[in-house]
Amino acid sequence: GGWTIVFARAGEQVRVYDAAGDIRDRFMEIVAGQLDDLKTYDLLDEPAAILGRIIICDNLGEVVEGARFIQESVFEQTDVKPEISNAIGPLLSDGAIVGSSTSGIPSSAFTEHVVNRERFLVTHPVNPPYLAPIVEVVPAPWTAKDAIDGALALMTAVGQSPVLVRREVEGFILNRLQGVLLREAWDLYQEGYASAEDIDKTVSEGLGLRWSFMGPFETIDMNAPGGVADYAERLGPLYHSIQKSRTDPQPWSAELISAVDNERRAKLPMEKLAERRKWRDRRLMALAAHRSKQASE
């Protein structure tokens, strides 16, 4: 649904297919609700016009035929990805590109024996993609250059912010960065340094405020009088010492997960989780509206 909004909002005609009939039946209602929320925050003008560019299809052939770009968003499973890729490959029109929403599985793991494999790559979004514009574009070793260039150009044209990952790496860039932060958050919690809520607060009320408009390199460039080189001289030894203190990473244990889960459920009961997700999306909408206004000034 998120990708559908991205493309249809940008004026593209979008065909949608899901193997589950109940999802196809509810799809337009779900997207309509998301569009209404975006309208509330002045992030789009005419929800009805966007809905009019979306067609629900009854089979895979109908949705792929004649398409210049196909976004595959099936389950994050190595047995499912090859199946859908093998089904899509023979149906592609000349020059068509297939992007996968996978969060960490490289396309070489599920397209090696696919017909037209040179047209496949990863286009990994942040959810929901119509609010968080970053897209990781990750080619396989055999992805054609014009497919890479085409994916980058299309993502830019529809309002996303593509990042080219030059070669495959587990987790790509976003989840490797996120993974380092998560690993340290779990370790700090397990070792009793702070509650899960206070660790979250350190990001939401601190680091995250800067990270909403600048990345780690620009952040440190601003944080020392002499820029990056000065920052590295001042604090490089500290970060090196921190890195050396984490030499034996362990899996998150069942006991650790249970402890954090219990703390989160005390803060947010399971029955209110969906409501909180909607709150998150509305906060992202407000932030997107602010960023849009700032860009125009």
Side-chain angles (χ1 to χ4, degrees):
W3 273 119
T4 298
I5 291 174
V6 166
F7 294 123
R9 180 180 59 185
E12 300 285 351
Q13 294 290 327
V14 183
R15 297 196 295 265
V16 180
Y17 171 71
D18 194 286
D22 62 323
I23 293 179
R24 296 198 302 273
D25 292 341
R26 295 183 291 112
F27 188 82
M28 294 297 275
E29 179 184 351
I30 293 170
V31 170
Q34 293 166 330
L35 292 174
D36 287 342
D37 283 345
L38 290 168
K39 170 74 171 172
T40 300
Y41 286 87
D42 295 323
L43 292 172
L44 52 82
D45 295 323
E46 296 294 337
I50 295 172
L51 285 173
R53 291 192 283 270
I54 303 169
I55 299 171
I56 308 300
C57 298
D58 292 325
N59 60 74
L60 187 64
E62 183 182 356
V63 80
V64 173
E65 183 181 6
R68 62 190 177 99
F69 185 85
I70 298 93
Q71 183 69 36
E72 167 268 301
S73 300
V74 300
F75 292 124
E76 186 84 353
Q77 297 174 357
T78 53
D79 58 334
V80 177
K81 292 284 187 183
E83 181 180 352
I84 188 65
S85 299
N86 278 313
I88 292 172
L91 302 175
L92 293 180
S93 300
D94 290 344
I97 304 167
V98 184
S100 175
S101 292
T102 174
S103 299
I105 305 173
S107 57
S108 62
F110 55 86
T111 65
E112 182 175 3
H113 304 294
V114 169
V115 174
N116 291 317
R117 69 176 188 170
E118 70 280 2
R119 311 309 302 170
F120 287 74
L121 41 63
V122 166
T123 43
H124 170 231
V126 174
N127 279 320
Y130 56 84
L131 293 174
I134 200 73
V135 179
E136 295 181 293
V137 176
V138 192
W142 46 76
T143 304
K145 185 178 185 303
D146 71 296
I148 301 170
D149 293 342
L152 292 168
L154 176 62
M155 291 301 160
T156 300
V158 298
Q160 301 303 98
S161 183
V163 170
L164 175 61
V165 183
R166 294 171 179 168
R167 62 182 185 276
E168 294 182 329
V169 60
E170 184 181 16
F172 315 137
I173 294 175
L174 188 145
N175 279 320
R176 291 184 75 89
L177 292 173
Q178 181 171 237
V180 172
L181 181 62
L182 272 174
R183 183 193 67 191
E184 190 62 30
W186 284 102
D187 285 348
L188 290 169
Y189 179 87
Q190 184 174 32
E191 294 162 3
Y193 288 107
S195 67
E197 182 177 4
D198 280 350
I199 291 170
D200 276 353
K201 190 188 300 182
T202 304
V203 176
S204 64
E205 302 294 334
L207 293 170
L209 295 177
R210 293 185 302 214
W211 287 348
S212 67
F213 57 87
M214 62 171 60
F217 289 125
E218 186 174 7
T219 294
I220 66 172
D221 200 29
M222 302 292 107
N223 277 2
V228 167
D230 186 18
Y231 187 95
E233 183 177 352
R234 293 167 182 259
L235 293 173
L238 169 64
Y239 287 113
H240 185 222
S241 179
I242 291 171
Q243 287 175 328
K244 289 195 298 182
S245 73
R246 302 296 188 198
T247 58
D248 186 27
Q250 298 296 314
W252 305 337
S253 69
E255 293 79 10
L256 176 60
I257 294 169
S258 178
V260 174
D261 185 60
N262 288 337
E263 187 172 326
R264 285 299 304 151
R265 296 293 68 82
K267 182 75 175 178
L268 181 69
M270 185 63 70
E271 60 270 19
K272 294 186 177 181
L273 200 58
E275 179 182 337
R276 186 67 172 177
R277 289 193 186 104
K278 291 181 180 178
W279 171 87
R280 174 203 65 187
D281 288 354
R282 289 193 294 270
R283 292 298 82 218
L284 283 171
M285 289 176 195
L287 179 59
H290 169 72
R291 287 167 60 97
S292 177
K293 180 180 178 182
Q294 292 294 308
S296 65
E297 291 181 353

